Amino acid sequence: MTKRLLQDQKERFESLKTPFYYYDTDLLAETLSAIKCETDKHEGWHLHYAVKACANPKVLRQIQQAGFGADCVSGGEIRTCLENGFPAGEIVFAGVGKADWEIELALEAGIQYFNVESIPELEVIAEIATRMNKIANVSFRINPDVGAHTHSHITTGLAENKFGIAKEDMLHVIQVAKGLPSVRFVGLHFHIGSQILQMDDFEALCYRINELQDELEAADITEVHNINVGGGLGIDYDNPDENPIPDFKSYFETYAKHLKLRPGQRLHFELGRAVVGQCGSLITRCLYIKQAKQKQFVIVDAGMTDLMRPALYGAKHHIQNLSVGQQTTDDGQQTAVKYDIVGPICESSDTFAKDFLLPETRRGDLLAIRSAGAYGETMASQYNCRELPQAYTTAEI
Ligand code: LLP
């Protein structure tokens, strides 16, 4: 692939009001074809993009046009997907707390299937489907009790997490579903967490699914048409230019090698971060340099309201000064100053990076907070009565 540097876009950014998200749609296109290249090797493998990562309409359309389906977790996401060209039959709907109106919306639209997380939820779906004279396709989200090497806030597949149905209850819930005439049982769903870089974690999930499939076979349950393994593949936050495209080969090969599918079973993936993470940057301007007693601060006009991840998870994003690039001394050494890079919000946690090395930075410089395409714009808020950040794609500026 050709290496595009964000630095080269600087002139085009100058006239735009900051902060804003910038989505490199060329990189997105390359990422989507890298995924397709792996999934197309296998019959019945399909990716439902996890919309929660980035629901920007232009990004969504591009993903849809590349042939992916959608994984939604709210009625709002289902609506957004329908408005942006996803056929209802390519949408799956997950989440522990689906409201009645969201279930109605999904049934009305005719989505592919619900990922159901409890018996009370199954009963409500059945009741609403009966009332609407519809059949609801349901897949059960099973909690595999598999740990993942990632931040504790974003692991989901442990027995202590609120997600899914205990694996010991799997046969029981399937029997309950089979007794409900307005419900059709179609498969199983799993998700162990997010920002996972160790393939062993996905391998452990494969072994667990294999065990569960043996149990189903022994119980003569043959309707498991879809195995949905969720998402979770991580990205390189430290080196976005060196690794703009995640390691899809290792990820998909792990499933190809370790997961034993039954004849005719479809395998669904729900990647979010790995699809859009590296193509987005939050572009912000330096408002002030503040010299405090022990620290020097770069105060930028983006805040935790625009990108919540550092405040919420202590997440580290690479930051780049686009205005000065790499400064070097006469003998070619890089010059750098240690800064805390902070936003304007009235919270100490409004900090993007501590003791971060940047070339000497001045008021007015443009900075890029990298790898912000996933869980950036979608998690923005209006705290402090701030405006939501604008967003642009490559073609628009
Ligand atoms: N499927 C399910 C059921 C999920 O819960 C998630 C993410 C995904 C798929 C997509 O996972 P991904 O491929 O993006 O790892 N806000 C956090 C991440 C929360 C992830 C929630 N679930 C962050 O900024 O790191």
Side-chain angles (χ1 to χ4, degrees):
M1 71 175 272
T2 47
K3 199 163 170 180
R4 281 171 305 273
L5 293 177
L6 206 56
Q7 205 87 34
D8 302 339
Q9 309 282 349
K10 194 206 115 201
E11 299 307 323
R12 303 159 81 195
F13 293 159
E14 264 323 325
S15 60
L16 300 169
K17 184 172 173 238
T18 49
F20 61 88
Y21 276 91
Y22 168 68
Y23 296 106
D24 178 343
T25 42
D26 296 330
L27 177 57
L28 178 59
E30 284 179 46
T31 309
L32 295 171
S33 34
I35 297 172
K36 275 259 156 199
C37 172
E38 295 303 321
T39 52
D40 285 356
K41 289 180 191 161
H42 307 273
E43 187 144 348
W45 284 31
H46 199 60
L47 193 128
H48 294 264
Y49 163 66
V51 175
K52 61 173 88 65
C54 178
N56 181 285
K58 310 222 179 55
V59 170
L60 276 184
R61 280 195 179 266
Q62 190 173 342
I63 294 173
Q64 191 280 320
Q65 280 159 10
F68 297 100
D71 155 41
C72 294
V73 288
S74 72
E77 283 190 357
I78 296 175
R79 269 195 203 124
T80 306
C81 283
L82 293 172
E83 285 162 14
N84 287 288
F86 286 90
E90 297 281 311
I91 296 175
V92 299
F93 182 19
V96 286
K98 299 179 188 73
D100 295 19
W101 72 266
E102 294 177 306
I103 297 169
E104 282 163 18
L105 173 82
L107 284 170
E108 198 51 61
I111 63 158
Q112 191 175 5
Y113 57 84
F114 291 83
N115 286 315
V116 172
E117 305 227 8
S118 66
I119 288 197
E121 180 196 328
L122 174 71
E123 287 168 349
V124 170
I125 292 175
E127 198 184 296
I128 295 176
T130 304
R131 175 159 43 79
M132 292 174 69
N133 209 12
K134 305 259 185 203
I135 301 285
N137 289 331
V138 304
S139 178
F140 286 110
R141 178 166 179 178
I142 305 299
N143 186 327
D145 200 11
V146 169
H149 297 90
T150 185
H151 193 287
S152 62
H153 288 196
I154 49 178
T155 69
T156 50
L158 286 174
E160 69 203 48
N161 296 131
K162 72 175 173 182
F163 300 99
I165 292 164
K167 60 186 190 324
E168 295 73 21
D169 297 337
M170 177 183 71
L171 293 178
H172 173 62
V173 292
I174 295 173
Q175 295 308 349
V176 175
K178 286 173 126 192
L180 295 168
S182 59
V183 154
R184 183 187 299 123
F185 167 66
V186 297
L188 297 177
H189 177 223
F190 305 86
H191 175 73
I192 54 172
S194 203
Q195 184 52 20
I196 297 169
L197 292 164
Q198 296 190 20
M199 296 304 128
D200 308 3
D201 292 337
F202 299 117
E203 192 177 321
L205 174 63
C206 291
Y207 297 144
R208 181 51 49 85
I209 298 174
N210 293 344
E211 275 167 33
L212 294 173
Q213 291 244 70
D214 289 344
E215 248 184 73
L216 291 165
E217 198 163 270
D220 268 339
I221 292 171
T222 54
E223 302 90 333
V224 191
H225 304 303
N226 309 300
I227 294 287
N228 181 332
V229 291
L233 176 63
I235 61 172
D236 188 344
Y237 280 98
D238 297 326
N239 306 295
D241 285 328
E242 285 70 24
N243 292 312
I245 300 198
D247 187 2
F248 293 117
K249 199 170 167 49
S250 303
Y251 173 75
F252 288 114
E253 275 178 1
T254 302
Y255 284 100
K257 194 162 162 208
H258 301 288
L259 187 65
K260 289 192 220 140
L261 289 177
R262 300 298 191 259
Q265 267 182 343
R266 286 182 297 250
L267 181 58
H268 289 174
F269 297 89
E270 293 176 339
L271 293 176
R273 187 189 317 265
V275 182
V276 290
Q278 295 293 36
C279 83
S281 297
L282 177 60
I283 310 297
T284 180
R285 213 174 265 284
C286 169
L287 294 172
Y288 304 105
I289 301 295
K290 177 170 168 176
Q291 180 65 60
K293 265 222 167 84
Q294 295 167 356
K295 295 246 173 196
Q296 205 170 1
F297 292 99
V298 172
I299 302 175
V300 294
D301 60 5
M304 60 191 281
T305 48
D306 306 298
L307 178 66
M308 181 83 130
R309 305 192 67 257
L312 201 56
Y313 315 115
K316 306 247 183 306
H317 286 252
H318 183 67
I319 302 178
Q320 204 179 334
N321 184 329
L322 299 177
S323 298
V324 294
Q326 306 279 28
Q327 283 175 348
T328 48
T329 56
D330 290 344
D331 60 357
Q333 296 288 317
Q334 249 178 253
T335 54
V337 183
K338 217 182 244 183
Y339 295 107
D340 275 17
I341 302 161
V342 301
I345 312 295
C346 306
E347 302 263 352
S348 299
S349 55
D350 186 29
T351 297
F352 289 115
K354 287 193 165 166
D355 296 327
F356 193 86
L357 287 173
L358 278 182
E360 190 174 354
T361 297
R362 301 181 191 93
R363 172 174 164 81
D365 284 355
L366 278 179
L367 272 68
I369 306 181
R370 304 291 305 273
S371 314
Y375 307 107
E377 192 186 355
T378 42
M379 290 176 74
S381 83
Q382 290 196 291
Y383 181 44
N384 285 189
C385 290
R386 283 167 61 85
E387 279 176 26
L388 288 173
Q390 293 292 315
Y392 303 96
T393 56
T394 313
E396 288 174 313
I397 55 166

